[in-house]
């Protein structure tokens, strides 16, 4: 049993000389089982009025008369139709004399409600009926009325409540509206209550309305970008059965292009031909030219200053040009990228040119590269092919510098099977890449780099999450491969507890890349709130020139996690078992 208490003080000034103001106090006590006490505390009108400065004696008496009925109505929403409510009212006068002053007469009104909700009503009958064309569709075609009935969440013998009843009807209707029948409606619904028998019989009738198919596309809001920017991304063909998920996917694909600050994709079904319902696309364009400057820091490469320039409509053709200049303590880069709009066949083409310099673990690598790339397929199954040319200068402490070059072709595949791309809790991500220099005349020699990475998410409980990662790589013909294509490990996204790219092949006082690489991680996150969590992890891995030398080192530690709008943010303290050192690591987002 729980007791809920409320108190209101209403000051009433008395004109008596040398007397302070008297007060009228209103107090409410509600004694009820814990199953309903929160409901009464939050929703009873008299409880809300206790904090109102407008409370007075007239309002107090009105509330005392209406509260029993108010309690009955609230209990009925939770399936209690035969409550027993007892009400007692007391009024007391308190005298509080002050030195040299007349005594004040404070009045205290107290109302107590003792509530026995009685037995809860249970569901003793369910009658769900469908009408309209959905009853004529072929057996097994979605949405299937039989399956919708099977998925009805209210079962015989369950306690009735208004919230469950409303949610069940809404879910049943949504099951039709999301696919093929957007104009479905509930034509009749009843909850027949027998208060004496504490039973409820539920009745629902739904008319599906006609099945709809998609028609042409109407685009509103385009000013500077060509209409093909929208049409070439549209995955919905005319005549396709109506599907809300198809509209949402189309919307997310348009939002991801970067051309628009806001995108809304709907279908007009109220006055449209069911065989050709128009798709309506409303967009708000981003500014075509954007300049940005920023500062930051990375636990891998140190403090950072970055300048970016972006033109979303290069040559007035909808080409996206991005140029970024980045200065970090250990790395500097100038990168240019031109991305063409998705063409009518679904291909996404891009061209890039990069100038990079990185100085870590006694090796300084400077590169000049350019390349072209073509990607296609949905985010769940994305493929990429490319061609690139690289010039490289490598200087290793204590060794002679050398120049390398290579013309390469590549293929990549990325699978995304997760419930959320920003903050995944279940599923997996997989990426593999193959890069080859096939011609001796266009490289120092032939080589093939193979790489794969998988990251999996599994909810152990509602608040406990398991994340595992495994990656590996191998270079065939490593003697001919530029240093850029060899492997090192260590750092934020690799083996925590070790410095960035500090794991590899020892060369004097420096560490250089190796032919083989394997890293992995096992991490458990305990979410303490909806956004904050604590993590414990173990990382392992290394890079070497032979499989015999590929002995893993371990790092382990603790961290904090925050679910931000841009993805998960992590701050970790990790201990490198091999070095005995502790290191701070920072991570943002999902790196796939």
């Amino acid at each position: 049993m729980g007791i809920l208490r409320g108190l209101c003080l209403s000051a009433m000034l008395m004109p008596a000389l040398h007397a302070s103001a008297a007060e009228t106090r209103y107090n409410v006590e509600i004694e009820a089982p814990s199953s309903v006490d929160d409901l009464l505390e939050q929703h009873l009108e008299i409880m809300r009025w206790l904090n109102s400065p407008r409370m007075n004696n007239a309002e107090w008496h009105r509330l005392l008369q209406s509260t029993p009925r108010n309690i009955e109505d609230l209990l009925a929403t939770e399936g209690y139709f035969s409550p027993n409510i007892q009400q007692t009212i007391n009024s007391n006068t308190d005298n509080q004399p002050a030195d040299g002053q007349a005594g004040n007469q404070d009045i205290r009104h107290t109302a107590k409600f003792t509530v026995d909700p009685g037995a809860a009503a249970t569901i003793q009958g369910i009658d769900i009926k469908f009408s309209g064309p959905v009853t004529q569709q072929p057996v097994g075609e979605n949405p299937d009325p039989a399956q919708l009935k099977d998925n009805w969440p209210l079962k015989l013998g369950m306690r009735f409540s208004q919230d469950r009843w409303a949610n069940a009807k809404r879910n049943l209707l949504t099951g039709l509206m999301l696919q093929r029948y957007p104009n479905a409606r509930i034509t009749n619904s009843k909850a027949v209550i027998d208060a004496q028998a504490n039973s409820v019989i539920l009745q629902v009738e739904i008319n599906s309305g006609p099945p709809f198919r998609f028609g042409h596309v109407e685009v509103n809001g385009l000013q500077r970008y060509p209409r093909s920017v929208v049409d070439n991304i549209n995955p919905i063909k005319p005549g396709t059965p109506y599907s809300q998920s198809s509209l949402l996917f189309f919307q997310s694909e348009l939002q991801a292009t970067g051309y628009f600050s806001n995108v809304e994709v709907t279908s007009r079904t109220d006055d449209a031909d069911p065989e050709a319902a128009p798709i309506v696309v409303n967009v708000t364009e981003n500014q075509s030219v954007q300049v940005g400057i920023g500062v930051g820091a990375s636990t891998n490469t140190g403090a950072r200053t970055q300048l970016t320039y972006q033109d979303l409509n290069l040559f007035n053709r909808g080409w996206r040009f991005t140029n970024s200049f980045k200065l970090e303590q250990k790395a500097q880069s100038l990168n240019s990228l031109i991305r063409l709009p998705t063409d009518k066949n679904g291909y996404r083409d891009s061209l890039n040119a990069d100038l990079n310099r990185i100085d870590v673990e006694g090796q300084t690598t400077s590169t000049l590269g350019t390349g072209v790339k073509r990607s296609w397929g949905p985010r769940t199954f994305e493929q990429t092919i490319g061609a690139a040319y690289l010039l490289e200068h490598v200087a290793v402490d204590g060794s002679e510098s050398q120049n390398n070059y290579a013309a390469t072709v590549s293929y990549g595949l990325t699978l995304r099977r997760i419930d959320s791309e920003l903050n995944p809790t279940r599923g997996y991500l997989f990426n593999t890449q193959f890069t080859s220099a096939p011609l001796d005349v266009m490289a120092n020699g032939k080589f093939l780099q193979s790489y794969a990475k998988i990251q999996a998410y599994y909810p152990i409980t509602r608040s406990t999450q398991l994340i595992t990662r495994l990656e590996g790589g191998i270079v065939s013909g490593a003697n001919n491969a530029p240093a850029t294509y060899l492997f090192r490990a260590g750092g934020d996204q690799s083996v925590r507890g070790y410095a960035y790219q500090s794991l590899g092949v020892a060369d004097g006082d420096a560490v250089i890349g190796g032919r083989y690489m394997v890293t992995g991680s096992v991490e458990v996150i305990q979410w303490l709130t909806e956004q904050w969590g604590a993590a414990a992890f173990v990382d392992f891995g290394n890079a070497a020139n032979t499989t015999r030398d590929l002995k893993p080192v371990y790092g382990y530690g603790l961290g904090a996690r925050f679910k931000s709008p841009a993805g998960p943010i992590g701050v970790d303290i990790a201990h490198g078992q091999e070095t005995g050192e502790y290191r701070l690591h920072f991570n943002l987002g999902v790196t796939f």
Side-chain angles (χ1 to χ4, degrees), residues 179-197:
Q179 193 171 358
R180 292 172 60 90
Y181 301 97
N183 290 346
R185 67 187 189 281
I186 295 177
T187 56
N188 184 41
S189 70
K190 293 180 181 179
V192 182
I193 298 167
D194 187 337
Q196 292 184 345

Side-chain angles (χ1 to χ4, degrees), residues 58 110 226 241 283 286 428:
T110 301
V283 298
N286 276 321
Y428 68 90

Side-chain angles (χ1 to χ4, degrees), residues 361-363 395-400 402 504-513:
E361 298 299 323
Q363 176 177 292
V396 178
D397 293 349
S399 301
E400 293 185 4
Q402 64 182 49
V505 179
D507 186 349
D509 294 332
V511 175
I512 64 175

Side-chain angles (χ1 to χ4, degrees), residues 250-574:
F250 186 14
Q251 178 173 298
S252 65
E253 291 292 292
L254 283 174
Q255 192 74 63
T257 63
Y259 290 112
F260 311 110
S261 61
N262 185 62
V263 178
E264 182 183 40
V265 179
T266 59
S267 181
R268 193 168 64 246
T269 60
D270 50 356
D271 58 351
D273 178 4
E275 292 298 318
I279 299 172
V280 181
V281 178
N282 295 312
V283 298
T284 303
E285 295 179 339
N286 276 321
Q287 293 182 352
S288 59
V289 176
Q290 303 172 8
V291 178
I293 186 170
V295 295
S298 164
T299 46
N300 277 343
T301 51
R304 175 178 66 251
T305 299
Q306 183 171 348
L307 176 66
T308 60
Y309 171 87
Q310 185 170 239
D311 187 343
L312 300 179
N313 196 23
L314 188 65
F315 308 134
N316 292 319
R317 299 174 63 92
W319 294 7
R320 288 176 291 165
F321 172 65
T322 303
N323 197 65
S324 64
F325 177 58
K326 185 186 298 183
L327 287 176
E328 299 178 280
Q329 288 178 285
K330 298 180 180 180
Q332 302 81 43
S333 64
L334 176 62
N335 302 317
S336 297
L337 173 66
I338 296 177
R339 288 174 289 181
L340 278 61
T342 303
D343 66 19
K344 61 182 180 180
N345 296 314
Y347 293 123
R348 302 180 291 275
D349 298 329
S350 63
L351 306 88
N352 72 281
D354 306 304
L355 179 61
N356 298 282
R357 181 184 182 275
I358 184 168
D359 182 2
V360 291
E361 298 299 323
Q363 176 177 292
T364 302
T365 306
S366 302
T367 62
L368 173 64
T370 185
V372 295
K373 184 184 294 185
R374 166 167 286 185
S375 301
W376 68 95
R379 295 277 294 169
T380 56
F381 191 94
E382 186 176 17
Q383 300 182 74
T384 302
I385 58 172
Y389 189 76
L390 177 76
L391 295 175
E392 177 187 80
H393 178 79
V394 180
V396 178
D397 293 349
S399 301
E400 293 185 4
S401 62
Q402 64 182 49
N403 297 315
N404 303 310
Y405 65 98
T408 61
V409 293
S410 62
Y411 170 79
L413 170 67
T414 301
L415 304 179
R416 297 178 177 90
R417 303 289 192 273
I418 48 178
D419 54 357
S420 168
E421 289 208 14
L422 288 180
N423 288 289
T425 60
R426 181 186 294 273
Y428 68 90
L429 298 161
F430 174 77
N431 172 257
T432 185
Q433 300 175 28
F434 302 94
T435 303
S436 174
L439 301 175
D440 286 322
V441 295
M442 299 185 69
N444 292 97
K446 297 178 182 178
F447 70 88
L448 171 64
Q449 183 206 59
S450 304
Y451 170 85
K453 177 181 178 181
I454 186 169
Q455 189 157 307
Y457 302 83
Y458 181 76
I460 300 175
T461 68
R462 293 186 61 183
S463 60
T464 307
Q465 182 180 14
L466 173 67
I467 302 176
T468 59
R469 170 179 53 83
L470 182 66
E471 68 173 340
I474 182 173
V475 178
S476 302
N479 294 334
N480 302 320
T484 300
Y485 294 104
L486 299 178
F487 297 108
R488 289 192 283 182
D492 299 341
Q493 303 289 342
S494 182
V495 183
R496 286 164 288 187
Y498 300 86
Y500 178 56
Q501 294 193 359
S502 63
L503 302 176
V505 179
D507 186 349
D509 294 332
V511 175
I512 64 175
R515 294 177 55 197
Y516 299 93
M517 181 271 295
V518 173
T519 71
S521 176
V522 177
E523 179 173 310
V524 176
I525 303 175
Q526 179 62 51
W527 293 104
L528 307 176
T529 68
E530 287 295 320
Q531 290 185 298
W532 288 96
F537 58 87
V538 176
D539 294 352
F540 63 89
N542 214 330
N545 267 335
T546 65
T547 55
R548 184 178 57 185
D549 295 331
L550 191 62
K551 299 177 181 179
V553 297
Y554 294 88
Y556 43 85
L558 302 173
R561 297 293 180 269
F562 175 70
K563 293 180 180 178
S564 77
I569 296 175
V571 179
D572 300 316
I573 296 293

Side-chain angles (χ1 to χ4, degrees), residues 123-139:
I123 300 170
Q124 298 299 319
I126 302 171
D127 184 15
I128 301 174
K129 294 180 179 179
F130 292 92
S131 62
V134 70
T135 61
Q136 306 298 321
Q137 70 182 22
V139 176

Side-chain angles (χ1 to χ4, degrees), residues 172-238:
L172 186 66
L173 183 62
T174 301
L176 291 175
M177 297 180 66
L178 292 182
Q179 193 171 358
R180 292 172 60 90
Y181 301 97
N183 290 346
R185 67 187 189 281
I186 295 177
T187 56
N188 184 41
S189 70
K190 293 180 181 179
V192 182
I193 298 167
D194 187 337
Q196 292 184 345
N198 289 319
S199 67
V200 179
I201 297 176
L202 305 179
Q203 300 175 356
V204 186
E205 296 180 12
I206 293 183
N207 186 290
S208 67
F212 275 74
R213 295 181 179 274
F214 289 121
H216 66 281
V217 178
E218 300 176 3
V219 182
N220 303 309
L222 283 178
Q223 296 178 359
R224 61 176 69 95
Y225 305 129
R227 167 72 184 255
S228 59
V229 166
V230 174
D231 289 339
N232 291 342
I233 286 180
N234 180 16
I236 305 173
K237 306 302 179 185

